């Protein structure tokens, strides 16, 4: 997606408008009509919106984040993290100032001539950093923002900004899908596209969502892991304990897949015993680190009445774009992975290249602690020589490790990720280390 033109925001900040004046920059009557037609204001909390705000807050490591909607005289939060109120007057809103453009970024409110005097800067919650990307309705009207806030100043990278925009598009899709689904139900449509047992999208709707995510990931040159999760022995559970127990287990697994603390962008119920999920990946070397907690959560025992069920779950994984670039290809290859040997704790990886990379990194992490305790790492010192070659100015200390299973492990051996096919190598450093400055989880200023 196109990078927002942050420089165009600066003249606006130097000459800010009052909230009522901001709304004059577009047809406020049409904007409010579209907002109210969505029937989203003053609705209860929604786990699907909450999933995105919690995931966004964790990825950016900020204490506050929200889906903010701008009504006629108030700012109302559909979902939020770290925000104690459900609504505020427009005078207390940063988001209203973002409506006239795609994105508003204030790296340090105390250094800004206008926002340094803002009520939520000089008073609670003492906002020092703000960034919001505009959320638009079905016809393009600005409805509000998806925003992140901090009590410390921050300076985000280009990649971090683009990730926030990506999350914004996912929230827009959620808003607009709910509107389209409501309209279809009002028209008596029988094509619900959601599973009646779990409420999750069926395979068709899940595939449509995956199509959109693949389009965003392609533009941002990011990986997406597509999961095909199979619940084993479901027929046996149903035969012994009854249909009600079977449905309760499926509903519980759906709840776990959509919990805010699970780093899943989208989930679907593909068939009776199978679920699908999409997870963002910064490095294929992190595959098992990301997947294992999800599998462990799903495999936690489920109490149904007086019966305790221990879910037996296998996960097949394909990775975009390495294993395919369409939903059909990726889902089929994730299914096909289940026919191969297990890679690790019930996890099956389609690509041998990805599997080898991820397994090596996981093995290094598992064997490193015993190696440290047994003093099996050897220090090597590399001299640092002055530019003119006249003297040694210092030494670089390196640790090397000779492991019986892994062989020689050097400081650079962290399980190098596979490269994107036909992609510029500039991105490789980003995928190797999720804490690089150009990563969405890189450290901000402050």
């Amino acid at each position: 997606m196109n990078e927002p033109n942050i420089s165009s925001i600066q003249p606006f900040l130097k000459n800010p408008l009052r909230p009522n004046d901001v709304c004059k920059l577009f047809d406020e009557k049409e904007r409010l009509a579209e907002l109210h037609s969505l029937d989203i204001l003053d609705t209860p909390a929604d786990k699907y919106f909450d999933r995105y705000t919690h995931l966004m807050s964790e990825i950016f490591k900020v204490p506050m984040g929200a889906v903010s909607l701008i009504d006629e005289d108030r700012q109302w939060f559909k979902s939020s993290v770290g925000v104690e109120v459900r609504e505020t007057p427009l005078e207390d809103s940063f988001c209203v100032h973002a409506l006239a453009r795609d994105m508003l970024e204030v790296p340090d409110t105390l250094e800004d001539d206008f926002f340094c005097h803002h009520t939520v800067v000089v008073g609670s919650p003492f906002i020092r950093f703000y960034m919001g990307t505009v959320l638009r309705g079905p016809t393009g009207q600005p409805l509000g923002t998806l925003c992140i806030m901090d009590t410390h100043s921050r300076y985000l990278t280009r990649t971090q900004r683009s990730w926030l925009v990506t999350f914004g598009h996912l929230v827009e899709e959620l808003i607009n899908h709910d509107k389209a689904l409501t309209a279809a139900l009002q028209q008596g449509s029988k094509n619900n596209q959601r599973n009646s047992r779990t409420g999750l999208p069926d395979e068709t709707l899940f595939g449509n969502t995956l199509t959109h995510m693949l389009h965003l990931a392609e533009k941002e040159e990011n990986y997406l892991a597509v999961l095909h999760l199979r619940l084993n022995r479901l027929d046996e559970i149903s035969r012994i304990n009854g249909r009600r127990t079977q449905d309760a287990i499926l509903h519980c697994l759906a709840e776990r897949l959509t919990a805010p603390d699970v780093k899943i962008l989208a989930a679907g119920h593909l068939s009776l015993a199978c679920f699908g999920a999409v997870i963002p990946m910064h490095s294929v070397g992190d595959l098992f680190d990301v997947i294992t907690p999800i599998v462990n959560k799903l495999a936690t025992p489920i109490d149904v009445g007086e019966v305790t069920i221990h879910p037996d779950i296998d996960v097949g994984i394909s990775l975009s774009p390495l294993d395919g670039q369409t939903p059909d290809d990726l889902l089929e290859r994730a299914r096909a992975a289940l026919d191969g040997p297990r890679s690790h704790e019930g996890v099956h990886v389609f690509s041998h290249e990805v599997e080898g990379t991820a397994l090596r990194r996981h093995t290094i992490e598992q064997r490193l602690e015993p190696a440290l305790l047994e003093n099996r790492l050897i220090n090597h010192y590399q001299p640092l020589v002055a530019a003119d070659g006249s003297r040694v100015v210092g030494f670089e200390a390196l640790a090397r490790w000779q492991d019986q299973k892994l062989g020689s492990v050097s400081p650079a051996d962290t399980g190098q990720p596979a490269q994107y096919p036909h992609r510029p190598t500039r991105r490789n450093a980003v995928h190797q280390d999720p804490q690089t400055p150009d990563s969405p989880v890189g450290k901000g200023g402050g």
Side-chain angles (χ1 to χ4, degrees):
M1 92 198 33
N2 294 330
E3 169 71 8
N5 185 1
I6 301 299
S7 62
S8 67
I9 297 175
Q10 301 309 318
F12 174 76
L13 295 183
K14 292 178 181 178
N15 299 285
L17 302 174
R18 296 177 62 83
N20 291 339
D21 295 326
V22 172
C23 296
K24 292 177 183 178
L25 298 177
F26 35 77
D27 192 321
E28 178 68 353
K29 184 176 180 180
E30 289 187 9
R31 190 190 73 81
L32 288 172
E34 179 153 300
L35 174 62
H36 293 158
S37 72
L38 295 171
D39 294 324
I40 191 173
L41 291 171
D42 299 309
T43 54
D46 186 300
K47 64 181 180 182
Y48 296 106
F49 285 93
D50 290 345
R51 183 201 314 164
Y52 288 130
T53 52
H54 282 78
L55 183 57
M56 180 180 67
S57 175
E58 183 173 337
I59 285 178
F60 285 95
K61 299 189 184 303
V62 291
M64 294 172 282
V67 175
S68 167
L69 299 172
I70 305 301
D71 200 0
E72 184 175 10
D73 56 0
R74 61 174 176 154
Q75 170 182 247
W76 182 79
F77 300 111
K78 173 61 181 174
S79 176
S80 64
V81 173
V83 179
E84 297 180 356
V85 297
R86 197 69 193 273
E87 64 179 57
T88 68
L90 289 187
E91 288 74 17
D92 293 344
S93 169
F94 270 61
C95 298
V96 69
H97 297 281
L99 292 188
R101 56 200 69 249
D102 291 330
M103 178 178 282
L104 173 62
E105 178 182 13
V106 187
D108 189 341
T109 56
L110 297 183
E111 297 296 325
D112 184 272
D113 291 341
F114 172 72
F115 286 106
C116 66
H117 303 296
H118 201 283
T119 54
V120 294
V121 174
V122 298
S124 181
F126 301 100
I127 294 174
R128 185 79 180 271
F129 161 83
Y130 171 91
M131 176 169 276
T133 182
V134 171
L135 302 173
R136 299 186 182 275
T139 67
Q141 292 290 341
L143 308 177
T145 73
L146 178 69
C147 61
I148 53 176
M149 295 160 284
D150 200 345
T151 55
H152 301 280
S153 62
R154 282 175 174 259
Y155 296 88
L156 300 188
T157 66
R158 180 184 178 210
T159 299
Q160 289 173 316
R161 295 188 191 109
S162 68
W163 268 86
L164 184 61
V165 174
T166 297
F167 274 109
H169 283 300
L170 293 174
V171 172
E172 281 181 353
E173 185 178 74
L174 186 59
I175 293 173
N176 296 336
H177 168 71
D178 286 349
K179 173 63 175 178
L181 180 60
T182 300
L185 291 173
Q186 290 173 345
Q187 295 170 8
S189 172
K190 296 181 180 180
N191 184 22
N192 196 338
Q193 291 192 311
R194 284 186 179 270
N195 185 277
S196 59
R197 288 182 175 88
T198 60
L200 291 178
D202 66 8
E203 186 164 8
T204 300
L205 183 55
F206 179 73
N208 292 339
T209 302
L210 178 54
T211 298
H212 181 65
M213 292 180 175
L214 289 171
H215 180 66
L216 294 174
E218 170 69 20
K219 289 188 174 183
E220 299 305 326
E221 300 177 15
N222 292 311
Y223 295 105
L224 287 180
V226 177
L227 278 56
H228 186 87
L229 303 109
R230 181 180 64 202
L231 175 61
N232 300 314
R233 302 186 296 106
L234 184 61
D235 288 343
E236 178 183 329
I237 293 171
S238 179
R239 186 172 62 254
I240 295 174
N241 300 288
R243 170 74 176 272
R244 184 172 298 179
T245 299
Q246 168 194 278
D247 290 350
I249 292 170
L250 293 172
H251 181 76
C252 180
L253 291 177
E255 291 286 327
R256 290 176 179 180
L257 282 170
T258 56
D261 63 332
V262 176
K263 299 178 181 180
I264 291 177
L265 290 179
H269 196 163
L270 309 183
S271 63
L272 179 61
C274 295
F275 295 85
V278 184
I279 300 173
M281 297 288 299
H282 306 306
S283 164
V284 297
D286 296 332
L287 185 63
F288 291 125
D289 291 337
V290 174
I291 302 301
T292 300
I294 295 175
V295 176
N296 290 341
K297 184 182 183 74
L298 294 175
T300 301
I302 300 173
D303 294 322
V304 183
E306 298 179 355
V307 177
T308 299
I309 303 296
H310 297 263
D312 178 16
I313 302 211
D314 281 327
V315 183
I317 304 172
S318 62
L319 202 68
S320 165
L322 301 176
D323 300 328
Q325 299 182 15
T326 69
D328 289 344
D329 287 346
L330 291 164
L331 285 170
E332 180 56 37
R333 286 164 185 170
R335 289 190 190 99
L338 292 174
D339 297 329
R342 288 191 176 196
S343 300
H344 168 69
E345 297 179 0
V347 177
H348 311 247
V349 183
F350 177 80
S351 169
H352 294 297
E353 181 182 13
V354 173
E355 176 184 352
T357 299
L359 272 175
R360 179 167 176 81
R361 175 160 178 172
H362 181 76
T363 304
I364 287 174
E365 292 175 353
Q366 295 297 310
R367 297 176 68 84
L368 180 57
E369 184 176 356
L372 288 170
L373 294 175
E374 297 170 11
N375 294 317
R376 285 192 273 121
L377 271 68
I378 302 173
N379 292 329
H380 291 260
Y381 298 95
Q382 180 172 307
L384 301 176
V385 181
D388 60 5
S390 61
R391 66 189 188 282
V392 174
V393 296
F395 292 88
E396 180 181 10
L398 303 173
R400 297 186 182 275
W401 169 26
Q402 187 66 36
D403 183 79
Q404 183 177 1
K405 181 176 180 179
L406 295 166
S408 177
V409 183
S410 75
D413 190 355
T414 57
Q416 297 298 324
Q419 297 182 8
Y420 278 109
H422 311 300
R423 297 283 179 83
T425 57
R426 179 183 64 82
R427 299 291 300 176
N428 293 349
V430 179
H431 296 309
Q432 290 170 12
D433 185 355
Q435 289 296 330
T436 54
D438 209 26
S439 162
V441 293
K443 296 180 180 180

